[in-house]
Amino acid sequence: MKHHLIDRKFGFTLAEVLITLGIIGVVAAMTLPTLITEHRNKEIATRVRKIYSDINNAILLAQNNSNALGDNSALFNPSNSSYQTALNFSKYFKGSKVCTSHLDEKCKEYYYDMKYSKYYTQGTDKATVSSRYEPAIILNNGAILFIYQYNNPNCYTMDTWSEMDENGRPVLDENKNPITHTSPLDYCATIIMDVNGNSMPNRLGQDAQQIIIKKDKVTPAIQPYLGSESFKNILSGNDEFIYEDYKVGE
Protein backbone atom coordinates (compact mmCIF):
# COMPACT_ATOMS: atom_id res chain seq x y z
CA MET A 1 0.00 0.00 0.00
CA LYS A 2 1.33 3.36 -0.99
CA HIS A 3 1.04 6.30 1.33
CA HIS A 4 0.65 9.69 -0.25
CA LEU A 5 2.14 12.66 1.54
CA ILE A 6 -0.15 15.63 1.48
CA ASP A 7 1.72 18.96 0.92
CA ARG A 8 0.07 21.50 3.13
CA LYS A 9 1.15 25.16 3.08
CA PHE A 10 0.44 27.25 6.13
CA GLY A 11 0.30 31.06 6.09
CA PHE A 12 -1.56 34.14 7.26
CA THR A 13 -4.35 35.83 5.49
CA LEU A 14 -4.10 39.51 4.62
CA ALA A 15 -6.67 40.30 7.30
CA GLU A 16 -4.59 38.53 9.96
CA VAL A 17 -1.46 40.41 8.91
CA LEU A 18 -3.26 43.73 9.04
CA ILE A 19 -4.68 42.97 12.48
CA THR A 20 -1.22 42.02 13.78
CA LEU A 21 0.33 45.18 12.33
CA GLY A 22 -2.47 47.20 13.89
CA ILE A 23 -1.78 45.72 17.33
CA ILE A 24 1.96 46.38 16.96
CA GLY A 25 1.18 49.97 15.94
CA VAL A 26 -1.04 50.56 18.97
CA VAL A 27 1.56 49.14 21.35
CA ALA A 28 4.28 51.26 19.74
CA ALA A 29 2.13 54.38 19.96
CA MET A 30 1.59 53.73 23.66
CA THR A 31 5.19 52.95 24.61
CA LEU A 32 7.34 54.95 22.19
CA PRO A 33 6.69 58.41 23.71
CA THR A 34 7.61 57.06 27.15
CA LEU A 35 10.81 55.49 25.82
CA ILE A 36 11.75 58.70 24.01
CA THR A 37 11.13 60.78 27.17
CA GLU A 38 13.14 58.38 29.32
CA HIS A 39 16.03 58.47 26.84
CA ARG A 40 15.98 62.27 26.69
CA ASN A 41 15.86 62.57 30.48
CA LYS A 42 18.76 60.14 30.83
CA GLU A 43 20.79 62.17 28.37
CA ILE A 44 19.96 65.45 30.12
CA ALA A 45 20.77 64.03 33.57
CA THR A 46 24.15 62.78 32.31
CA ARG A 47 24.94 66.24 30.91
CA VAL A 48 23.88 67.93 34.16
CA ARG A 49 26.26 65.78 36.20
CA LYS A 50 29.09 66.27 33.69
CA ILE A 51 28.81 70.06 33.44
CA TYR A 52 28.27 70.49 37.18
CA SER A 53 31.47 68.50 37.70
CA ASP A 54 33.29 70.65 35.12
CA ILE A 55 32.17 73.80 36.94
CA ASN A 56 33.45 72.51 40.28
CA ASN A 57 36.76 71.46 38.73
CA ALA A 58 37.16 74.89 37.11
CA ILE A 59 36.52 76.59 40.46
CA LEU A 60 39.13 74.40 42.15
CA LEU A 61 41.64 75.21 39.43
CA ALA A 62 40.93 78.93 39.84
CA GLN A 63 41.47 78.62 43.59
CA ASN A 64 44.82 76.92 43.05
CA ASN A 65 45.90 79.56 40.56
CA SER A 66 44.97 82.30 43.03
CA ASN A 67 46.54 80.55 46.06
CA ALA A 68 43.11 80.77 47.67
CA LEU A 69 42.18 77.13 48.25
CA GLY A 70 38.68 76.89 49.71
CA ASP A 71 37.81 80.53 48.96
CA ASN A 72 35.38 81.01 46.10
CA SER A 73 35.41 84.79 46.50
CA ALA A 74 38.82 84.91 44.79
CA LEU A 75 37.11 84.06 41.50
CA PHE A 76 33.59 85.27 42.29
CA ASN A 77 34.93 88.56 43.56
CA PRO A 78 32.32 90.88 45.15
CA SER A 79 34.17 93.91 43.76
CA ASN A 80 33.64 92.71 40.17
CA SER A 81 30.68 93.09 37.88
CA SER A 82 28.89 90.00 36.61
CA TYR A 83 30.59 90.51 33.24
CA GLN A 84 34.08 90.69 34.80
CA THR A 85 33.40 87.49 36.73
CA ALA A 86 32.12 85.78 33.58
CA LEU A 87 35.28 86.81 31.69
CA ASN A 88 37.54 85.51 34.46
CA PHE A 89 35.60 82.25 34.82
CA SER A 90 35.49 81.62 31.06
CA LYS A 91 39.29 81.25 30.99
CA TYR A 92 38.87 77.85 32.63
CA PHE A 93 36.67 76.48 29.85
CA LYS A 94 38.58 75.82 26.65
CA GLY A 95 36.92 77.16 23.52
CA SER A 96 34.26 79.14 25.40
CA LYS A 97 33.06 82.65 24.62
CA VAL A 98 31.36 85.33 26.69
CA CYS A 99 28.24 87.32 25.88
CA THR A 100 27.77 90.65 27.61
CA SER A 101 23.98 90.61 27.88
CA HIS A 102 20.76 90.06 25.97
CA LEU A 103 21.39 93.44 24.30
CA ASP A 104 24.42 92.08 22.45
CA GLU A 105 23.26 91.62 18.84
CA LYS A 106 25.68 88.73 18.28
CA CYS A 107 24.32 86.83 21.25
CA LYS A 108 20.55 87.08 20.97
CA GLU A 109 20.20 83.36 20.25
CA TYR A 110 21.60 82.59 23.71
CA TYR A 111 18.94 84.58 25.58
CA TYR A 112 15.51 83.01 25.95
CA ASP A 113 12.84 82.37 28.55
CA MET A 114 12.91 79.34 30.81
CA LYS A 115 9.91 77.84 32.51
CA TYR A 116 10.09 77.35 36.24
CA SER A 117 9.92 73.80 37.52
CA LYS A 118 6.45 74.53 38.87
CA TYR A 119 3.71 77.14 38.61
CA TYR A 120 5.28 80.38 39.84
CA THR A 121 3.98 83.95 39.66
CA GLN A 122 6.87 86.20 40.80
CA GLY A 123 4.34 88.13 42.88
CA THR A 124 1.78 88.51 40.10
CA ASP A 125 -1.54 86.77 39.57
CA LYS A 126 -0.41 84.77 36.56
CA ALA A 127 2.17 82.07 35.83
CA THR A 128 5.45 83.49 34.57
CA VAL A 129 8.79 82.41 33.14
CA SER A 130 12.37 83.07 34.18
CA SER A 131 13.99 85.52 31.77
CA ARG A 132 17.77 85.68 31.40
CA TYR A 133 19.65 88.97 31.22
CA GLU A 134 22.98 88.11 32.84
CA PRO A 135 26.34 87.78 31.09
CA ALA A 136 26.65 84.28 29.67
CA ILE A 137 29.54 81.87 29.08
CA ILE A 138 28.91 79.73 26.01
CA LEU A 139 30.78 76.44 26.37
CA ASN A 140 32.15 74.54 23.38
CA ASN A 141 29.72 71.67 24.06
CA GLY A 142 26.72 73.98 23.63
CA ALA A 143 25.94 74.49 27.31
CA ILE A 144 25.36 78.01 28.62
CA LEU A 145 26.32 79.40 32.03
CA PHE A 146 24.49 82.59 33.09
CA ILE A 147 26.53 84.42 35.75
CA TYR A 148 25.15 86.76 38.40
CA GLN A 149 27.75 88.31 40.71
CA TYR A 150 26.66 89.68 44.08
CA ASN A 151 28.55 92.73 45.30
CA ASN A 152 28.25 92.14 49.04
CA PRO A 153 31.58 92.52 50.90
CA ASN A 154 33.03 89.12 51.76
CA CYS A 155 29.95 87.53 50.15
CA TYR A 156 27.72 88.44 53.08
CA THR A 157 24.88 90.84 53.88
CA MET A 158 21.66 91.01 55.83
CA ASP A 159 18.84 90.78 53.33
CA THR A 160 15.24 91.94 53.75
CA TRP A 161 12.74 89.99 51.70
CA SER A 162 9.00 89.52 51.36
CA GLU A 163 7.53 86.16 52.30
CA MET A 164 6.00 84.30 49.35
CA ASP A 165 3.83 81.21 49.19
CA GLU A 166 4.90 78.18 47.17
CA ASN A 167 3.52 79.75 43.98
CA GLY A 168 5.31 83.08 44.40
CA ARG A 169 2.41 85.13 45.74
CA PRO A 170 3.07 87.55 48.65
CA VAL A 171 1.94 86.31 52.07
CA LEU A 172 -0.07 89.01 53.84
CA ASP A 173 -0.61 89.75 57.52
CA GLU A 174 -3.97 90.46 59.17
CA ASN A 175 -3.81 94.02 57.86
CA LYS A 176 -3.26 92.85 54.27
CA ASN A 177 0.36 94.02 54.30
CA PRO A 178 3.18 91.87 52.92
CA ILE A 179 5.08 89.96 55.60
CA THR A 180 8.81 90.71 55.46
CA HIS A 181 11.85 89.03 57.02
CA THR A 182 15.50 89.89 57.48
CA SER A 183 18.08 87.12 57.27
CA PRO A 184 21.70 86.56 56.21
CA LEU A 185 22.47 86.29 52.50
CA ASP A 186 25.84 84.58 52.05
CA TYR A 187 25.97 84.22 48.27
CA CYS A 188 29.02 85.22 46.27
CA ALA A 189 27.25 84.51 42.99
CA THR A 190 24.70 82.32 41.27
CA ILE A 191 25.03 80.35 38.04
CA ILE A 192 22.14 79.12 35.95
CA MET A 193 23.40 76.44 33.62
CA ASP A 194 21.44 75.18 30.64
CA VAL A 195 23.14 71.97 29.60
CA ASN A 196 21.79 71.91 26.03
CA GLY A 197 21.71 75.62 25.32
CA ASN A 198 18.58 77.06 23.76
CA SER A 199 17.26 73.61 22.79
CA MET A 200 14.05 72.54 24.51
CA PRO A 201 12.70 71.95 27.08
CA ASN A 202 14.33 75.10 28.56
CA ARG A 203 12.94 74.40 32.02
CA LEU A 204 14.49 74.84 35.44
CA GLY A 205 14.57 71.41 37.00
CA GLN A 206 15.23 69.71 33.66
CA ASP A 207 17.89 70.96 31.26
CA ALA A 208 18.43 74.14 33.32
CA GLN A 209 19.62 74.21 36.92
CA GLN A 210 20.62 76.94 39.36
CA ILE A 211 23.90 76.71 41.28
CA ILE A 212 24.68 78.79 44.36
CA ILE A 213 28.27 79.93 44.91
CA LYS A 214 29.04 80.59 48.56
CA LYS A 215 32.40 81.65 49.91
CA ASP A 216 33.32 78.14 51.00
CA LYS A 217 31.11 75.83 48.93
CA VAL A 218 29.10 75.25 45.78
CA THR A 219 25.55 73.91 46.13
CA PRO A 220 22.34 73.40 44.13
CA ALA A 221 19.56 75.94 44.55
CA ILE A 222 17.25 75.37 47.51
CA GLN A 223 13.93 76.60 46.07
CA PRO A 224 11.66 73.95 44.48
CA TYR A 225 10.43 76.35 41.78
CA LEU A 226 14.05 76.66 40.63
CA GLY A 227 14.29 72.89 40.23
CA SER A 228 16.13 72.01 43.43
CA GLU A 229 14.34 68.68 43.84
CA SER A 230 15.29 67.46 40.38
CA PHE A 231 18.85 68.72 40.75
CA LYS A 232 19.37 66.84 44.00
CA ASN A 233 17.90 63.69 42.46
CA ILE A 234 20.26 63.91 39.48
CA LEU A 235 23.35 64.46 41.62
CA SER A 236 22.41 61.45 43.76
CA GLY A 237 22.14 59.24 40.67
CA ASN A 238 18.33 59.19 40.63
CA ASP A 239 17.32 60.59 37.24
CA GLU A 240 13.79 61.50 38.30
CA PHE A 241 12.74 64.99 37.19
CA ILE A 242 10.19 66.76 39.37
CA TYR A 243 8.25 69.51 37.64
CA GLU A 244 4.78 70.68 36.72
CA ASP A 245 3.49 71.57 33.28
CA TYR A 246 1.77 74.94 33.24
CA LYS A 247 0.77 77.54 30.71
CA VAL A 248 2.42 80.93 30.96
CA GLY A 249 -0.13 83.60 31.83
CA GLU A 250 -2.75 81.19 33.17
Side-chain angles (χ1 to χ4, degrees):
M1 180 180 294
K2 294 183 178 180
H3 297 279
H4 297 280
L5 296 177
I6 300 175
D7 185 15
R8 293 181 179 178
K9 295 182 178 180
F10 296 92
F12 297 101
T13 65
L14 178 59
E16 290 172 331
V17 171
L18 291 176
I19 291 172
T20 302
L21 290 176
I23 294 171
I24 293 173
V26 170
V27 173
M30 293 173 60
T31 60
L32 194 57
T34 300
L35 293 175
I36 291 174
T37 298
E38 289 178 352
H39 176 75
R40 183 187 67 175
N41 287 348
K42 185 71 175 178
E43 182 178 313
I44 288 174
T46 299
R47 289 175 66 88
V48 167
R49 284 189 287 268
K50 173 65 168 59
I51 295 170
Y52 184 65
S53 176
D54 290 345
I55 289 171
N56 278 277
N57 289 336
I59 291 173
L60 286 174
L61 183 57
Q63 289 177 357
N64 286 329
N65 290 345
S66 302
N67 293 318
L69 194 62
D71 185 1
N72 292 325
S73 66
L75 175 60
F76 299 93
N77 191 326
S79 64
N80 287 342
S81 67
S82 295
Y83 180 61
Q84 289 171 316
T85 295
L87 279 177
N88 293 337
F89 196 27
S90 69
K91 297 173 184 176
Y92 298 94
F93 297 96
K94 187 177 180 180
S96 66
K97 70 175 184 177
V98 177
C99 287
T100 309
S101 74
H102 66 292
L103 299 176
D104 187 340
E105 288 293 329
K106 297 179 180 178
C107 293
K108 283 191 173 181
E109 66 180 296
Y110 304 119
Y111 288 88
Y112 45 89
D113 291 334
M114 299 176 183
K115 274 191 170 183
Y116 290 104
S117 62
K118 60 181 295 182
Y119 181 97
Y120 195 72
T121 69
Q122 298 189 73
T124 69
D125 292 326
K126 295 181 179 180
T128 61
V129 292
S130 177
S131 299
R132 305 270 56 84
Y133 302 106
E134 310 93 331
I137 302 173
I138 318 302
L139 304 186
N140 62 9
N141 59 11
I144 304 176
L145 310 180
F146 297 95
I147 309 295
Y148 182 81
Q149 173 68 58
Y150 287 84
N151 297 123
N152 303 317
N154 205 33
C155 301
Y156 182 89
T157 190
M158 293 299 293
D159 183 46
T160 300
W161 47 279
S162 296
E163 185 174 341
M164 300 284 186
D165 65 18
E166 63 177 359
N167 297 126
R169 298 187 181 94
V171 177
L172 307 179
D173 62 19
E174 64 274 10
N175 297 317
K176 305 300 182 182
N177 296 316
I179 298 175
T180 60
H181 301 274
T182 300
S183 60
L185 179 66
D186 57 349
Y187 295 2
C188 295
T190 57
I191 299 173
I192 288 186
M193 65 172 183
D194 191 328
V195 299
N196 58 0
N198 58 10
S199 298
M200 298 300 286
N202 292 335
R203 185 197 299 270
L204 287 156
Q206 283 187 279
D207 55 335
Q209 308 288 345
Q210 188 189 65
I211 301 167
I212 297 171
I213 309 296
K214 297 189 176 186
K215 187 176 174 64
D216 60 347
K217 60 182 170 181
V218 178
T219 68
I222 60 174
Q223 297 91 343
Y225 69 91
L226 294 176
S228 61
E229 296 167 310
S230 292
F231 202 178
K232 290 174 183 176
N233 279 346
I234 293 169
L235 295 181
S236 69
N238 172 13
D239 296 343
E240 179 185 1
F241 293 86
I242 300 176
Y243 62 89
E244 299 172 358
D245 279 320
Y246 67 89
K247 292 182 180 180
V248 178
E250 67 181 354

